[in-house]
């Protein structure tokens, strides 16, 4: 059962792995890295037996684009080297590929894995379980891996250098012999019978790498992170390999003395703190007993007190040192060591030590006092230093060179500097205070010598010694503190001797050279004198180069220079093979930029023979000329003075020569690479001169390279912001090009540069845009718009050409609207029409951006600043542009209160055209609309139609709340004074109302008629409206009957127009209107003869009445019914005017002449 369960579990894991591997291949980014990590973890911890099967799947992701995926592969290789070393032959090569990856993070992770793999590989070789061929294969790859990481210590990336240091630490530990305790992780663990491993070579390699780390540690340009990492590595090596301890301590001492000058103050503090911690760790090691004096002295120099050092030293070491002191002689001096103070630079720190001692004798000796400043002042005198060195050479040198000098000697890197003088003053101060014997020796030697220069030395040293106080104190019992102080002082003595030896070494070498030269001169044999020549004292004549040589003529010199340069030019292949290609290029550029014009022509022709292969040389030459032009380099004084005065001309001539020769050469081979070469020259040259820029501007007119030239101008403006304001001028002028393709590309490029450019660039583009806009106000087109010299006339295309740039810039800078309005006001009618059509699109686009997504809130809506400025300060002549702007602003949203207010003010003060009010009609009051209605109905019928649509809310894109209702509008039309508007305009306006049947329903018309009949004075068109309403809605007959009855009361027959309409209404309402006719007075019945149908119907109606009703009729009605038509001549008719209301089409307005 257990086997079956295990088999089932393995199957489940395998299925899960297969699914994850498939998902990994389809995933992207972090998800892919997460799936791959799951696969690796399951393989390593649950399905190790399946690693050989799926290992290749994981290693295949080594070339993936994702950084995290490649780091997971490095982790997999690292873990395999631990748990499955038998797979090392298959995975060691993959790690090399990761080291070569261009991503820095992947390289770091690969170096970390390389450290683990190196250790595990050595352990695997020590076991010797694999075949020799496999181990040799792995070892070869491992050696190459080691060399690659070793070269990475000079990488530009700080993190890679840090990881490389850690890897080299592992290499040194594994390739150097260790003690018995650490035998397994050292060179001793490697078997001696492996044929491909040379133990001696490995040990030498580890020593070489250690020296490399020490050199890197003492570098003057190392960063603080690398410095602390290298310090940790060296201390770790000293801990596990005691043979390196002396060199490590010396390196730490050198670091404390001369810190890298590139470190900041905070970095100096961090480095010193880290140095102190590492030295304390070394003191705690058992292998550092012999180097305790040096370590203690280093801690004192860093700033630790004796008590702090004593507390840091392990207890067993303190007891050991105390026992040594007690077993030996009682010290005659007791030291008191104070903590030194370190300044900010570290290298100038002064260790001040004050101590008191008791001699064996009871006599007290007081020594004069001295300070480091006084000693430093004495060292600034050359005589003092020379006398001190000479006295030391004569009296203070031992017979044999001490071993300590051989081991510790190192040339002083900053000899003669202020820092070195301060350190020397500090050591001499320690010597004067602590070395009484040495002081006595120097004093005695000075007293014996009686020469003048020795007297000067004695006086100077006496002045110094006069300042040195030495205080005596009673003998005290030697304690552990005194023993440590004595040990530190003895260490300081040895360091002082070493420093003095270093100081004297340079003088000693010069002295030996001088003695050797004199000895050689004495040994030279003197030739016997010639017998014929008398022995006279002859003066040796010195040879002068000018007397024994002749100057080379200028022509020959120039010819030799040209031949030399020509040989260098022809050695292109040889220089490439020998690795001197860079040096050769440097020589060529120096010759070409520093020598004669003939040399320049020779190099230029060489480059132009094959510019595709030699373009890099041309660019180097350009940079050399640029360096001379800017003053970075200086010509030798032997050159001609004329060249000094035209550095800018040389650079400009070279740049223009390269550009013109490449672009104008008709070579078929050149045509294929012309674009690449021009792009490289213009984009990689240090600066583009005005002449080269003008030539690039000219190239836009050439069909073959026009698009390339535009692209180069655009890239110059974008990639070189400091000079973009100069380059953009050559680009923006092409928006007036006659070629439509060039014009569109130039316009798009200009807008792109404007969006990404600086303020200076934007000002230049705006200046050109306003210049081109101003062209439309001229009487004739300027020469910029024509490629010929003949005068041309304005047309729509030319106007649009001038407006292209300013219209394209308008969405980016709304302030241009005011300039457009200013030019618009001074332009002609044709130009104004083009401006209105052209500017409409950008303004609509801007307004559409401001449209709210939800319900419009009129209180929150505000005008754009540019629109507000135009409304407040509209230039004279731009009123139509302003009107169009207001129209566009109110097309899709109702007018805001601010807009209505400003339009009202402009209409009242400046613009008398009533059309200006049309966009904001719905925002005006009822009184203002009624006042403007007589003017509005006089406009073009299409405009009147638009006005009524706004007032009636027809075809609106939003819900407009009109101040007047439809009934009020029709009523106000009837009440318009005929003196303000002709009757024909009123009739057309009412016809537009009646045409909207959906709005003017029966109820609305009934309300209008009711209001009209209530007016004191009968409106002129009232009866016409009554007839039209009756025609549209016959159901209004009762209301019309009532209106006719009310008109009888108002004596409508006195108004000829109203009475004719009254009679027409009665004809429409027969026979219901016969009752109204019988109630008319006699004066009103006279006009019924013009309506024979109505009169005949009345007679028939009267005849049909019962006798009693007929008898009740008024006499004039009865008489009218019994009379014939001939009895009423026309002279008796009170109304002789023609009928105002035609029988047909009562809705249509009256024909001409019938108003």
């Amino acid at each position: 059962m257990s086997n079956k369960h295990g088999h089932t579990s393995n199957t489940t894991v395998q299925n899960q792995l297969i699914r994850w591997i498939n998902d990994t291949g389809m995933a992207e980014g972090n998800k892919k890295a997460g799936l791959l990590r799951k696969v690796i973890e399951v393989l390593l911890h649950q399905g190790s037996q399946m690693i050989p099967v799926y290992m290749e799947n994981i290693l295949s992701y080594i070339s993936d684009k994702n950084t995290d995926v490649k780091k997971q592969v490095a982790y997999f290789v690292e873990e395999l080297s631990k748990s499955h070393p038998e797979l090392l032959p298959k995975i060691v090569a993959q790690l090399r590929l990761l080291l070569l990856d261009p991503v820095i993070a992947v390289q770091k992770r690969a170096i970390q894995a390389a450290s683990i793999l190196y250790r595990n590989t050595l352990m695997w070789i020590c076991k010797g379980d694999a075949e020799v061929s496999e181990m040799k294969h792995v070892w070869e790859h491992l050696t190459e891996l080691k060399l690659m990481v070793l070269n990475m210590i000079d990488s530009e990336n700080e993190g890679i250098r840090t990881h490389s240091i850690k890897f080299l630490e592992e290499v040194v530990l594994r390739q150097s012999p260790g003690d018995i305790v650490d035998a397994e992780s050292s060179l001793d663990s490697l078997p001696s019978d492996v044929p491909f491993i040379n133990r001696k070579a490995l040990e030498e390699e580890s020593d070489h790498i250690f020296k490399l780390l020490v050199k890197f540690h003492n570098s003057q340009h190392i960063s603080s992170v690398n410095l602390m990492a290298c310090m940790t590595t060296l201390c770790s090596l000293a801990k596990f390999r005691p043979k390196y301890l002396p060199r490590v301590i010396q390196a730490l001492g050198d670091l404390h003395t001369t810190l890298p000058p590139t470190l900041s103050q905070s970095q100096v503090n961090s480095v010193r703190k880290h140095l102190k911690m590492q030295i304390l760790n070394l003191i705690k090691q058992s292998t550092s007993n012999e180097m305790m004096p040096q370590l203690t002295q280093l801690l004192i120099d860093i700033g630790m007190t004796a008590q702090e050092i004593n507390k840091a030293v392990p207890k067993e070491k303190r007891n050991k040192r105390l026992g040594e002191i007690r077993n030996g002689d009682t010290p005659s001096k007791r030291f008191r060591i104070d903590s030194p103070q370190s300044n900010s630079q570290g290298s100038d720190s002064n260790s001040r030590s004050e101590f008191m001692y008791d001699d064996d004798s009871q006599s007290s000796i007081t020594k004069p006092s001295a300070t480091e400043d006084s000693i430093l002042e004495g060292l600034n005198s050359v005589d003092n230093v020379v006398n001190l060195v000479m006295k030391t050479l004569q009296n203070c040198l031992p017979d044999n060179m001490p071993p300590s000098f051989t081991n510790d000697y190192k040339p002083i890197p900053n000899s003669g500097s202020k820092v070195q003088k301060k350190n020397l003053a500090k050591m001499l101060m320690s010597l004067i205070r602590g070395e009484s014997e040495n002081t006595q020796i120097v004093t005695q030697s000075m007293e014996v010598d009686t020469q003048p220069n020795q007297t000067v030395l004695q006086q100077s040293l006496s002045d110094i010694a006069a300042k040195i106080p030495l205080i005596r104190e009673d003998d005290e019992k030697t304690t552990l503190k005194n023993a440590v102080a004595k040990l530190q002082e003895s260490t300081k003595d040895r360091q002082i001797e070493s420093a003095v030896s270093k100081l004297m070494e340079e003088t000693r070498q010069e002295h030996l050279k001088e003695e050797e030269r004199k000895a050689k001169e004495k040994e030279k044999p003197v030739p016997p004198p010639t017998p014929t020549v008398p022995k006279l004292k002859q003066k040796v004549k010195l040879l002068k180069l000018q007397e024994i040589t002749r100057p080379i003529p200028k022509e020959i010199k120039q010819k030799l220079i040209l031949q030399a340069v020509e040989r260098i030019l022809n050695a292109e292949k040889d220089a490439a093979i020998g690795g001197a290609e860079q040096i050769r290029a440097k020589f060529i550029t120096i010759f070409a930029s520093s020598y004669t014009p003939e040399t320049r022509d020779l190099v230029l022709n060489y480059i132009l023979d094959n510019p595709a292969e030699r373009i890099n040389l041309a660019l180097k030459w350009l940079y050399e000329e640029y360096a001379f032009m800017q003053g970075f380099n200086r010509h030798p004084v032997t050159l001609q003075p004329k060249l000094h005065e035209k550095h800018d001309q040389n650079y400009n001539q070279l740049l223009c020569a390269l550009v013109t020769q490449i672009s104008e050469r008709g070579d078929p081979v050149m045509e294929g690479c012309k674009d690449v070469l021009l792009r490289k020259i213009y984009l990689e040259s240090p600066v583009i001169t005005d002449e080269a820029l003008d030539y690039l501007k000219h190239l836009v007119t050439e069909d073959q390279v026009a698009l390339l030239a535009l692209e180069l101008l655009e890239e110059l403006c974008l990639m070189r912001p400091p000079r973009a304001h100069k380059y953009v001028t050559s680009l923006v002028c092409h928006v007036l090009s006659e070629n439509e393709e060039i014009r569109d590309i130039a316009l798009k490029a200009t807008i792109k540069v404007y969006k990404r450019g600086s303020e200076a660039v934007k000002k230049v583009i705006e200046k050109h845009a306003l210049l081109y806009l101003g062209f439309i106000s001229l009487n004739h087109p300027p020469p910029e718009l024509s490629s010929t010299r003949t005068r041309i006339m304005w047309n729509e295309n030319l106007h649009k050409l001038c407006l292209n740039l300013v219209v394209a810039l308008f969405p980016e800078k709304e302030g241009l609207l005011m300039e457009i309005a200013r030019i618009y006001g001074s332009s002609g009618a044709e130009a104004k029409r083009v401006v209105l059509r052209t500017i409409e699109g950008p303004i609509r686009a801007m307004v559409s951006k401001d449209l709210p997504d939800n319900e419009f809130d009129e209180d929150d809506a505000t005008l754009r600043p540019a629109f507000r400025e135009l409304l407040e300060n509209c230039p004279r002549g731009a009123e139509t542009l302003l009107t169009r702007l207001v129209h566009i602003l109110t097309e899709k949203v109702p007018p805001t209160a601010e807009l209505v207010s400003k339009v009202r003010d402009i209409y009242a003060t400046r613009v008398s055209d009533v059309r200006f009010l049309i966009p904001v009609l719905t925002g005006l009051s009822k009184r203002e609309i009624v006042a403007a209605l007589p003017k509005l109905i006089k406009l073009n019928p299409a405009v009147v139609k638009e006005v009524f649509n706004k007032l009636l809310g027809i075809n609106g894109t939003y819900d407009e709340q009109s101040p007047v209702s439809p009934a009020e509008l029709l009523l106000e039309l009837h009440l318009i004074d005929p003196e303000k508007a002709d009757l024909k305009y009123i009739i057309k306006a009412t016809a537009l109302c009646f045409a909207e049947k959906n709005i003017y329903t029966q109820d609305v018309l009934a309300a209008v008629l009711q209001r009209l009949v209530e007016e004191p004075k009968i409106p002129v068109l009232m009866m016409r409206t009554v007839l039209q309403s009756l025609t549209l809605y016959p159901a209004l007959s009762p209301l019309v009957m009532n209106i006719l009855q009310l008109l009888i009361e108002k004596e409508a027959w006195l108004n000829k127009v109203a009475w004719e309409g009254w009679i027409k209404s009665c004809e429409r309402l027969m026979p219901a209107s016969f009752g109204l006719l019988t109630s008319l007075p006699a004066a009103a019945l006279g006009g019924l003869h013009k309506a024979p149908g109505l009169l005949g119907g009345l007679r028939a109606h009267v005849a049909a009445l019962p006798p009693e009703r007929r008898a009740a009729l008024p006499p004039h009605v009865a008489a009218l019914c019994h009379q014939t038509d001939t009895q009423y001549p026309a002279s008796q008719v009170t109304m002789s005017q023609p009928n105002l209301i035609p029988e047909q089409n009562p809705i249509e307005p009256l024909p001409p002449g019938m108003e």
Side-chain angles (χ1 to χ4, degrees), residues 981-1008:
D982 291 342
L983 194 62
K984 63 179 180 180
Y985 296 118
I986 302 176
I987 293 174
K988 291 178 181 180
T990 56
L992 290 176
C993 295
F994 279 105
E996 302 297 335
K997 297 180 180 181
N998 294 331
I999 295 177
Y1000 285 93
T1001 61
Q1002 179 178 333
D1003 297 337
V1004 173
L1005 292 177
V1008 172

Side-chain angles (χ1 to χ4, degrees), residues 3-288:
N3 294 336
K4 183 177 180 181
H5 178 73
H7 179 71
T8 304
S9 177
N10 291 337
T11 305
T12 304
V13 171
Q14 187 173 8
N15 294 335
Q16 183 69 36
L17 279 175
I18 294 174
R19 185 165 61 255
W20 281 345
I21 290 174
N22 293 335
D23 294 343
T24 303
M26 302 296 294
E28 295 292 338
N30 295 331
K31 183 179 180 181
K32 187 174 188 178
L35 290 172
L36 186 61
R37 181 168 183 82
K38 289 181 180 180
V39 173
I40 292 173
E41 293 295 336
V42 170
L43 278 177
L44 293 175
H45 303 294
Q46 296 183 13
S48 58
Q49 69 278 4
M50 292 180 283
I51 288 179
V53 180
Y54 300 107
M55 180 177 65
E56 295 296 333
N57 297 79
I58 299 175
L59 294 179
S60 62
Y61 290 106
I62 200 169
S63 59
D64 194 85
K65 296 181 180 179
N66 189 279
T67 301
D68 293 333
V69 172
K70 289 186 280 191
K71 290 168 69 174
Q72 290 297 329
V73 176
Y75 166 75
F76 180 64
V77 172
E78 176 184 314
E79 293 298 324
L80 284 185
S81 67
K82 296 179 184 177
S83 57
H84 297 79
E86 67 276 1
L87 298 177
L88 281 171
K90 297 182 180 180
I91 63 176
V92 66
Q94 306 298 329
L95 195 59
R96 291 183 57 205
L97 298 178
L98 291 174
L99 279 176
L100 297 174
D101 194 88
V103 181
I104 299 298
V106 177
Q107 293 183 14
K108 293 180 183 178
R109 188 63 185 88
I111 296 174
Q112 288 179 334
S115 300
I116 306 299
L117 186 137
Y118 190 81
R119 179 195 311 161
N120 297 328
T121 301
L122 291 180
M123 296 173 62
W124 174 65
I125 292 176
C126 292
K127 293 179 181 179
D129 297 337
E131 296 181 2
V132 177
S133 59
E134 291 184 351
M135 291 192 294
K136 183 177 180 181
H137 171 74
V138 173
W139 181 253
E140 290 175 353
H141 280 280
L142 196 64
T143 303
E144 296 177 2
L145 192 71
K146 180 169 54 179
L147 292 176
M148 291 173 62
V149 179
L150 184 61
N151 291 329
M152 285 184 177
I153 200 170
D154 295 327
S155 173
E156 296 180 356
N157 185 271
E158 188 177 55
I160 291 181
R161 295 196 299 268
T162 302
H163 287 82
S164 301
I165 291 170
K166 295 299 181 183
F167 175 82
L168 296 179
E169 175 187 349
E170 184 71 26
V171 172
V172 174
L173 285 176
R174 300 298 166 183
Q175 294 187 186
S176 59
D179 52 12
I180 301 176
V181 179
D182 196 31
E184 294 183 358
S185 60
S186 64
L187 185 63
D188 300 332
S189 62
L190 289 177
S192 59
D193 56 347
V194 180
F196 53 85
I197 294 180
N198 188 346
R199 297 181 59 176
K200 184 177 180 180
L202 292 180
E203 185 175 358
E204 292 177 354
E205 185 182 29
S206 67
D207 292 339
H208 174 71
I209 294 176
F210 176 77
K211 293 178 182 179
L212 177 65
L213 290 174
V214 172
K215 181 179 178 181
F216 183 73
H217 178 269
N218 294 337
S219 174
Q220 291 297 306
H221 301 285
I222 188 172
S223 65
S224 61
V225 176
N226 292 152
L227 180 58
M228 289 190 285
C230 193
M231 193 190 310
T232 304
T233 295
L234 291 178
C235 292
S236 177
L237 292 176
K239 174 182 175 181
F240 294 105
R241 300 293 182 265
K243 69 174 185 177
Y244 296 135
L245 183 59
R247 282 184 280 179
V248 171
I249 294 176
Q250 182 181 354
L252 297 179
D254 294 340
L255 173 64
H256 171 66
T257 305
T258 56
L259 282 174
T262 57
L263 301 183
S264 63
Q265 179 59 45
S266 60
Q267 291 174 340
V268 168
N269 296 336
S270 300
V271 170
R272 290 195 178 280
K273 184 177 180 181
H274 191 72
L275 175 62
K276 175 182 174 182
M277 182 180 65
Q278 294 299 328
I279 296 175
L280 290 176
N281 291 336
L282 286 178
I283 287 179
K284 296 176 182 179
Q285 301 300 323
S286 59
T287 57
S288 63

Side-chain angles (χ1 to χ4, degrees), residues 339-360:
S339 173
Q341 303 296 327
S342 300
N343 65 355
S344 62
Q345 295 300 325
S347 60
D348 297 340
S349 61
N350 299 326
S351 299
R352 302 182 180 272
S353 300
E354 297 179 0
F355 55 88
M356 296 175 295
Y357 77 100
D358 290 341
D359 247 348
D360 291 340

Side-chain angles (χ1 to χ4, degrees), residues 16 113 117 131 144 203 261 405 433 494 535 569 760 774 784 797 801 931 933 993 999 1006 1079 1088 1150:
Q16 183 69 36
L117 186 137
E131 296 181 2
E144 296 177 2
E203 185 175 358
F405 178 80
R433 288 182 175 181
R494 287 193 294 271
K535 293 182 179 181
L569 293 175
E784 288 84 353
N797 291 332
L801 199 64
L933 203 56
C993 295
I999 295 177
S1079 62
L1088 294 180
L1150 294 175

